[in-house]
Amino acid sequence: DLPMHQRGDAVSSMVYEANARVRDLVYGCVGAISSLQQQIDVLQTQLALAQAEVAHLRVRQNRPFSSYGPRPNSPTNSGFPSPKTLDSHAKPIFDMDMVMDHASYGSSMW
């Protein structure tokens, strides 16, 4: 009952589902879809962490350096404090102290 232009896609879909059922008798293509969804979830988490790190680094880069020596607009300042002027107990550039809103990610991360 499908229009002619959709019949090829329907046949391809049925062939895919049949081949998936041969490979996995219990789950069929649902197993493949579930596996791909898990991969998406992991990659979305990695992307969120990378974006958070970029945001954290941008905030650190734009922070004033008054306690570290020359001002950001000083010709002798490269935009980063000199290693000699940094406290030996300074926090690392990215120390995973960020807070994630678990509600915005739903159950896909947990």
Side-chain angles (χ1 to χ4, degrees):
D1 293 338
L2 290 176
M4 283 296 263
H5 70 279
Q6 291 181 339
R7 290 181 184 179
D9 290 338
V11 170
S12 294
S13 178
M14 289 189 306
V15 168
Y16 176 82
E17 290 179 31
N19 286 330
R21 182 64 64 186
V22 168
R23 286 191 302 274
D24 187 341
L25 293 176
V26 176
Y27 296 107
C29 64
V30 174
I33 292 169
S34 176
S35 174
L36 291 171
Q37 184 60 52
Q38 288 176 349
Q39 289 178 27
I40 289 170
D41 292 344
V42 168
L43 292 171
Q44 285 177 331
T45 301
Q46 289 175 350
L47 177 61
L49 290 171
Q51 288 172 332
E53 183 174 1
V54 167
H56 183 79
L57 291 173
R58 284 184 179 155
V59 167
R60 280 192 62 124
Q61 185 178 14
N62 292 329
R63 216 180 265 170
F65 295 106
S66 60
S67 63
Y68 295 118
R71 292 234 179 283
N73 58 1
S74 168
T76 60
N77 186 11
S78 65
F80 295 97
S82 164
K84 293 178 184 177
T85 61
L86 287 175
D87 181 10
S88 63
H89 300 290
K91 291 179 80 175
I93 289 176
F94 186 64
D95 61 354
M96 300 298 288
D97 62 350
M98 66 181 203
V99 176
M100 293 180 67
D101 180 13
H102 300 279
S104 67
Y105 288 103
S107 63
S108 64
M109 275 182 58
W110 320 113

